[in-house]
Every structure is written in C-alpha cells, then in structure tokens.
Amino acid sequence: MKTIDAYKNDLDQTILSSKKMYDDAVAGCGGNISFRALPPSDIEIYNDFDLTKYNYETDLDAYAESLLAGMEKSFAARKDINDNFFPSIGPILGIGDYSAFVTGEIIFRKDTSWSTPCLKEIEDFRNLPPLGTSKWYKKFLEISELLLKKTQGTGIPFMRGFFSPLDLAHALRGENIYYDFYDDPDMVHELLDYCADATIKFAEDIYALNNKYNGKTKYGTWYTKGKINMSEDIACMISGAAYNEFCAPHTQKVIDHFGVGYMHCHSRAMYLVKEICHLRNVAHLWLATDPNQPRPIDHIEQLVKAANGVAIAIDCDTFEEIQNHYNEMKKGNFSICLPVKSIEEGIKYTTLFEQLKNK
Amino acid sequence: MILEDISTLLQKGKAKEVKILVQQALDEKITPTMILNEGLIKGMSIIGGKFKNNEVFVPEVLVAARAMNSGLEILRPALVASGAKSVGKAIICTVMGDLHDIGKNLVKMMLEGQGIEVIDLGVDVDADTIVEAVKTHHPDLVCLSALLTTTMMNQKVIIDALVKAGIRDQVVVMVGGAPVTQGFANEIGADAYTADAASASEAALAFLRN
Ligand code: B12
C-alpha cells in the first residue's frame, strides 16, 4: 500500500469540503452538495474476495494481505477521479462480526457472513461472557491491528461501522425482540442499554488501536475521532413512535459518547429520516435505495424537510437526475452517488458536477 | 358480535383474550369454521392489509399472528371434529446464502392466518433439503424467499432441482423477497410472485382453491 496521496490528488480539499458539510449539518445549515462516482472497481473487491478461503485461526496474514491487495487495486484504479471519495481501510468479514464480538460464532459464505441469535430469554444477556473476552472480539482487534501495522505510515484512515443498539439486540435475540416490545418493554430497554455499552466499549478499543498506529497522521483518525458510524437497519421494521420510545435514547447514548453520529438506514423506512435526523449531533445519514421501494432521489423535497440539515447520502441512476434536483438539494445537505460504467465516465461526470456546482 | 371482538382483539395482539373468546364462541355453539373465517382469519387479513399500507409494522403483525395461533390452539380440535379439511400445506424457507428471514416469517404467518399448514425450513436452505422436504411432507406449495440479488438466482437452482427430481409438477412454487419481480419469477419458471405477505396468502389460497 502506498501513501494516501498516491491515491487521491486533492485530499486536503476533499477533507475540507466534507468537514464543512458535516459542520454545517450539525449546525442545521444547508447548501452543500458533494458528488461520488461509483465505478465497477469500487465494488469489485467484494466480488473477488472470498471470505470462506481463509483460516482465521491460523493464517490471518493471508487474509490481511489479500484484503489489502484488493483495496489497493481499487484505490489505484480510481485515483484520477477527483470526487468526494477518499480511501479508507478496515476489516471486511461480512456482517457476522457486527454481533459476534459480543458472543458466538460467525458462519461464513463467499461474500457474506452472519452470526446466529443467542439469547433464548431476553434477560439472558445478563449471563453473557464479560465484554472483550469473546473469540471474535479478540479476533477482530487482532485483524484490525494487523491491517493497521501493514498500512502504518500510509496515512490512510481506518474505518469501522457498527450496528446501532437495536440492530445488535436484534442480531442477539432474533425475531423474539419484536414480541419483547409488547411483552417486556422494560427489559427491552435494559437489553438496548447493554447493546449501547457493548458498542461503546468495542468502538473505544478499536479506536485506541487506530490512534496507536494513525494518531500522528494527518487524516488517519478522520473516521474515528469524535465520530461513530452506526446502521439502523432494524428500525425499518418499526414505527416512528416505537423508534423514539425504544431506540432513540440508546442510539443517542452511543452518539453522545463519541460526539457526532454518522448513520445508515434504508429507503424502506423513509418515514424514519425525521426521527433519526432529529437525534442530537447527527451529521450524516446514508439512506440506501432498496429494491421495490420509493427512491430517495425522487423525494428530495420531503427529505430536505425531514433532515434538519443532516447530510443525506443517496444514490441516483443518471446525471440528469442530479441536474434536475440540484436546486432543491441545495436547500439541505446532500452527498450524491452515481454508479458509472468506467473510470473515464467517473472522471467525466465529476467534471460535469464541478461545472454544475460553479454555475 | 363475539366474532368481531375476536378479530379486533387479534389485531391488537391480545393472545389471552382471543383464546378466551374463541372458547366462549365455541360454548355459544358458533361453528368452528365460522369462528375461523369470520374471527381469526378476518382479523389477520386486516392486519396484513394494514402492514401492506405501512399503517402497522412488523411487531404488530407478529403479535397478531401469535394471538391467532393461541386462538387456533383452542379451535383446532373442534375444527378436526367438525370434519373441516385443512386448506393446504406449504413449505417455506429463505434460500441458500441468505439469512434475511423477517419477510419470510411474515409470509409464513399470513399463510397460517389463512389456515394453511406451514413447514418452516429456516434460512440458508439448499436445493437438496427442499427436494427431500417435498418428498417427505408432500406440500401443495413451496415458498422461496430471497433478499439478495446474488441469492435470488438460488430460487432458480431450487426450481431446477425440483424438475430434475421429477417432482416439479406436484407443487406450486411461489417466490418473493425485495429484489424479486414478476418478470424474474416468470423467467425462472416460478408459478407465482407477490410483493408482500398479505398478497402472498391470497395468491396461495387462490392456487389451493383451484
Ligand atoms: C433487515 C436487513 C438486514 C438484516 C437481516 C436480519 C434478518 N434476520 O432478516 C441484516 C442487518 C442482518 C442484513 C444483512 C445483510 N444485508 Co440486508 N437488508 C435488510 C433490509 C434493510 C430489510 C429486509 C427486511 O427484513 N425487510 C422487511 C420485510 C418485511 O420485507 P421483505 O423481506 O422484502 O419481505 C416482504 C416481501 O418481499 C414479501 N416476501 C418476502 N419473502 C417472500 C417469499 C414469498 C414466497 C413471497 C410470495 C413473498 C415474499 O413479503 C414480505 C412481507 O410483506 C433490506 C432492505 C430492504 N428494504 O429490503 C436490506 C438488504 C436486503 N440487505 C442487503 C445486503 C447487501 C445485506 C448484506 C449482504 C450486507 C453485508 N454487508 O453483509 C447482509 C447479507 C446477509 C445474508 N447473507 O443474508 C441489500 C441487498 C442488495 C441486493 N440487491 O442484493 C438490501 C436490499 C439493502 C440495500 N438497499 O442494499 N440485512
């Protein structure tokens, strides 16, 4: 892996404009739009990488080498696209590691993974092994440290997202959590509080490692210092009222611990944008477009109203859509991602976007 | 009136109350089929429709289904005694490589809500397991859920395996899950696709009636 400037021409500028967008977002002011091109090379790493190929007990080095090689390839491929993207590294283990750090095993498939629910009764969380002692907690830190060691000196930021307390509780308890909402709401709060604490501890330990290796670099701690990235996938299954009652306080606890929240949710739950964006100190919400659901790009006006200034990251299908919605988007903060067929197309649309911005 | 109350309480997920009222309805000599159709199934259909329109959410559907099951517990012996025939039998699963089970579970509940017996094979289920299950349980319907573009192709793998095993004609194959479309269902030779759980149970019933 080379130093970060080998993969990004205008790093300072990119960071500066991102910082402005997020500062404005937290302050509730709009007016920022950033652009990201998504060439096939950005996602090829996920197609090429086979999670079942590695022995996580005995040969983490092979895993780390091949992961970093894939990342290097994708960073190098897009180095001439001067969009809002900048490289970051971090473990990719599917989704199982997002909950197995508490307890249990990860089941690996080629391009994904999962862990199975472990709480037969909701109060069983009280009998879980002490946090930090599970196999995958230690393994995850080991993998992170290996990646950090191998990329030390490159200045490439380390990045890691987490499940929100509700996502984690759902992974641990499975579908029973939905009955628990009705049967034992107090215990749901206790479990969610446990999940918030678990996330805080896990993130702190990961961040400390990042600080050890990247603390002195210019941008190595960009994703970790004073920030937390969390997904609210399971919130898509419940009402706005239930979100406010059960989830908001615990998600807020995690955000408050770190400073600013960078959140993720789905277009399936467009109605939740308002609830999530009204949590304190949320800077960013990545609203993934789901199949069979309304597309966020078709609902900019509604999103501006609901977002409270929070920067909403969405995707679109064509550049025309960006042009058509540009003025509306300016009323809030948006990060817009356009899938492109090639690097050349990525360069072309980044230039067109700059022209649109400077008009 | 009592059937109306059963339906209303079921929609609120009041399992204990539903159980008591079903017993009361039986004591009042209302026929088991009437209690099933006008009380339990009616309530579950209303919840399914509300879910489709985003008026209620996953927990509400699940507790309603639980209330229905507790009512069914009381009703089942009376239904059997009255000679009411089972509506039909379905096998359901999420296909291999895929763990998303929330939608699959809702479809299961809605099918059960229509009086269909459902055998749930869980998640990450491969073609051999389905073929075996069809041979063992002789279901009328095979319901396959897939939420990933990468795993929806496994719905085709399963249909092909049913063909190869010579048992494709014995079952109606229904497919669903967020990325699945009617076009895709046609392409892979499925018999039906629906976009949501309530419509899935209606489509299933329509097949069973024919
Ligand atoms: C919740 C969720 C998760 C949870 C799953 C928890 C669980 N136990 O199910 C977690 C966080 C674990 C997860 C993991 C992953 N997920 Co996910 N997930 C979702 C999300 C947000 C909601 C799915 C859901 O439950 N919806 C609610 C239910 C009620 O809806 P439904 O499943 O569509 O079911 C309804 C209908 O489709 C229909 N139906 C369903 N099945 C059937 C079957 C039949 C026969 C019929 C007739 C009808 C029918 O009726 C249902 C009720 O109305 C979706 C986005 C979305 N909106 O779909 C992404 C989504 C499915 N996930 C996605 C991805 C990429 C993943 C991961 C690969 C992420 C990763 N980094 O590893 C992993 C994959 C793990 C695996 N191998 O399966 C992508 C898939 C993209 C694609 N096109 O392939 C989606 C679309 C998100 C996105 N926009 O990118 N996910």
Side-chain angles (χ1 to χ4, degrees):
Chain A
M1 194 73 79
K2 301 190 182 103
T3 55
I4 186 162
D5 37 299
Y7 306 114
K8 190 75 198 166
N9 297 321
D10 52 355
L11 186 62
D12 287 334
Q13 178 52 35
T14 310
I15 295 269
L16 211 68
S17 62
S18 298
K19 190 174 174 323
K20 178 177 175 321
M21 161 126 76
Y22 297 133
D23 287 348
D24 283 353
V26 172
C29 327
N32 303 277
I33 308 180
S34 67
F35 175 79
R36 152 131 196 224
L38 189 77
S41 56
D42 276 12
I43 37 183
E44 261 152 24
I45 173 167
Y46 299 100
N47 303 336
D48 298 345
F49 199 55
D50 182 350
L51 288 167
T52 61
K53 246 176 50 189
Y54 307 100
N55 187 331
Y56 299 98
E57 304 295 331
T58 57
D59 200 4
L60 286 185
D61 206 66
Y63 164 83
E65 281 299 327
S66 106
L67 177 65
L68 289 174
M71 287 178 161
E72 205 281 329
K73 197 172 145 200
S74 85
F75 301 158
R78 61 154 16 260
K79 71 176 187 338
D80 293 323
I81 306 181
N82 295 327
D83 62 357
N84 170 54
F85 170 90
F86 56 93
S88 66
I89 62 129
I92 295 178
L93 288 163
I95 198 94
D97 49 318
Y98 281 70
S99 46
F101 79 90
V102 175
T103 189
E105 253 308 333
I106 301 180
I107 300 161
F108 285 103
R109 292 289 178 271
K110 181 185 173 299
D111 53 1
T112 176
S113 72
W114 59 84
S115 70
T116 44
C118 57
L119 301 179
K120 214 161 163 263
E121 303 299 332
I122 184 165
E123 56 273 17
D124 288 351
F125 76 86
R126 293 187 179 133
N127 308 324
L128 286 171
L131 270 172
T133 60
S134 77
K135 170 182 162 183
W136 279 102
Y137 195 105
K138 293 187 211 149
K139 187 68 71 188
F140 190 88
L141 290 183
E142 207 184 323
I143 292 173
S144 299
E145 183 151 22
L146 191 56
L147 295 174
L148 283 162
K149 268 187 192 155
K150 284 180 185 286
T151 54
Q152 193 170 18
T154 62
I156 299 177
F158 182 90
M159 158 77 181
R160 171 65 181 180
F162 299 86
F163 273 166
S164 70
L166 179 62
D167 282 12
L168 181 54
H170 181 268
L172 298 174
R173 176 81 172 123
E175 157 176 298
N176 288 320
I177 190 86
Y178 301 119
Y179 300 105
D180 298 332
F181 281 121
Y182 279 82
D183 298 344
D184 204 344
D186 291 343
M187 195 57 85
V188 172
H189 277 294
E190 281 192 41
L191 172 60
L192 289 169
D193 194 50
Y194 167 86
C195 291
D197 289 343
T199 305
I200 290 171
K201 177 172 163 46
F202 190 40
E204 280 291 5
D205 285 352
I206 295 167
Y207 287 11
L209 271 181
N210 187 30
N211 216 29
K212 179 171 156 195
Y213 290 92
N214 274 332
K216 294 205 174 80
T217 63
K218 203 165 174 190
Y219 300 121
T221 57
W222 165 256
Y223 284 113
T224 54
K225 206 170 181 179
K227 298 187 178 99
I228 184 87
N229 276 272
M230 271 186 290
S231 68
E232 287 282 25
D233 278 4
I234 297 304
C236 302
M237 310 303 154
I238 63 176
S239 65
Y243 181 83
N244 284 334
E245 182 184 343
F246 287 102
C247 311
H250 307 283
T251 295
Q252 188 70 65
K253 178 177 180 179
V254 183
I255 296 174
D256 286 349
H257 180 89
F258 291 98
V260 176
Y262 290 67
M263 308 299 294
H264 162 65
C265 191
H266 286 265
S267 63
R268 176 183 161 76
M270 209 99 84
Y271 61 89
L272 273 186
V273 169
K274 183 160 175 248
E275 324 300 334
I276 296 175
C277 292
H278 279 74
L279 295 172
R280 272 188 315 281
N281 293 328
V282 171
H284 170 101
L285 174 63
W286 165 29
L287 191 61
T289 304
D290 293 330
N292 280 357
Q293 298 293 332
R295 294 182 334 138
I297 183 77
D298 297 328
H299 297 269
I300 297 297
E301 201 184 331
Q302 177 193 338
L303 287 175
V304 169
K305 275 198 196 121
N308 195 26
V310 169
I312 307 285
I314 56 175
D315 49 58
C316 62
D317 291 337
T318 63
F319 191 74
E320 287 66 45
E321 288 177 330
I322 303 179
Q323 288 172 313
N324 293 343
H325 294 289
Y326 194 84
N327 289 335
E328 197 63 45
M329 285 198 280
K330 273 231 110 159
K331 294 180 188 159
N333 293 307
F334 282 87
S335 236
I336 185 117
C337 174
L338 175 71
V340 292
K341 291 195 197 79
S342 62
I343 299 297
E344 292 68 37
E345 219 180 83
I347 296 171
K348 176 181 133 191
Y349 284 121
T350 306
T351 312
L352 283 176
F353 180 77
E354 279 309 308
Q355 288 167 3
L356 182 65
K357 223 168 123 179
N358 297 328
K359 231 186 194 168
Chain B
M1 188 58 194
I2 189 167
L3 298 182
E4 186 91 31
D5 289 347
I6 290 175
S7 161
T8 310
L9 287 165
L10 178 145
Q11 291 171 54
K12 291 187 180 148
K14 304 277 183 203
K16 268 191 229 137
E17 289 84 342
V18 167
K19 210 168 177 170
I20 293 168
L21 282 192
V22 168
Q23 185 57 58
Q24 204 178 311
L26 285 172
D27 295 344
E28 287 174 17
K29 301 275 178 278
I30 301 177
T31 67
T33 329
M34 187 88 165
I35 302 173
L36 181 69
N37 290 333
E38 297 304 315
L40 300 177
I41 290 183
K42 191 170 167 201
M44 208 53 212
S45 303
I46 295 175
I47 275 288
K50 286 188 172 167
F51 177 71
K52 193 167 155 178
N53 298 330
N54 265 343
E55 289 167 49
V56 299
F57 296 84
V58 172
E60 288 74 33
V61 180
L62 293 182
V63 291
R66 183 173 63 177
M68 192 189 78
N69 282 332
S70 73
L72 270 179
E73 247 173 62
I74 303 289
L75 198 60
R76 206 166 280 128
L79 275 171
V80 174
S82 73
K85 271 200 267 157
S86 149
V87 187
K89 197 194 276 184
I91 281 179
I92 195 165
C93 73
T94 302
V95 301
M96 55 264 197
D98 205 323
L99 81 88
H100 293 90
D101 63 356
I102 301 168
K104 184 253 312 164
N105 293 344
L106 291 180
V107 174
K108 174 185 164 189
M109 307 268 168
M110 290 306 295
L111 293 178
E112 286 177 341
Q114 297 287 1
I116 299 167
E117 183 193 338
V118 186
I119 297 159
D120 185 353
L121 300 178
V123 298
D124 189 27
V125 175
D126 63 18
D128 290 348
T129 309
I130 302 275
V131 168
E132 266 324 295
V134 171
K135 287 181 180 164
T136 315
H137 300 290
H138 305 290
D140 306 288
L141 307 162
V142 170
C143 303
L144 307 173
S145 184
L147 268 282
L148 302 169
T149 3
T150 45
T151 58
M152 61 197 258
M153 279 319 292
N154 291 336
Q155 295 179 325
K156 177 168 171 11
V157 172
I158 291 169
I159 293 176
D160 291 349
L162 291 171
V163 172
K164 197 164 162 223
I167 51 179
R168 174 67 184 90
D169 298 344
Q170 296 172 20
V171 288
V172 165
V173 178
M174 294 179 59
V175 292
V180 179
T181 59
Q182 184 63 59
F184 178 75
N186 298 343
E187 219 172 274
I188 64 170
D191 299 305
Y193 154 82
T194 71
D196 65 88
S199 320
S201 64
E202 283 158 21
L205 263 195
F207 272 114
L208 293 170
R209 286 205 183 106
N210 294 330

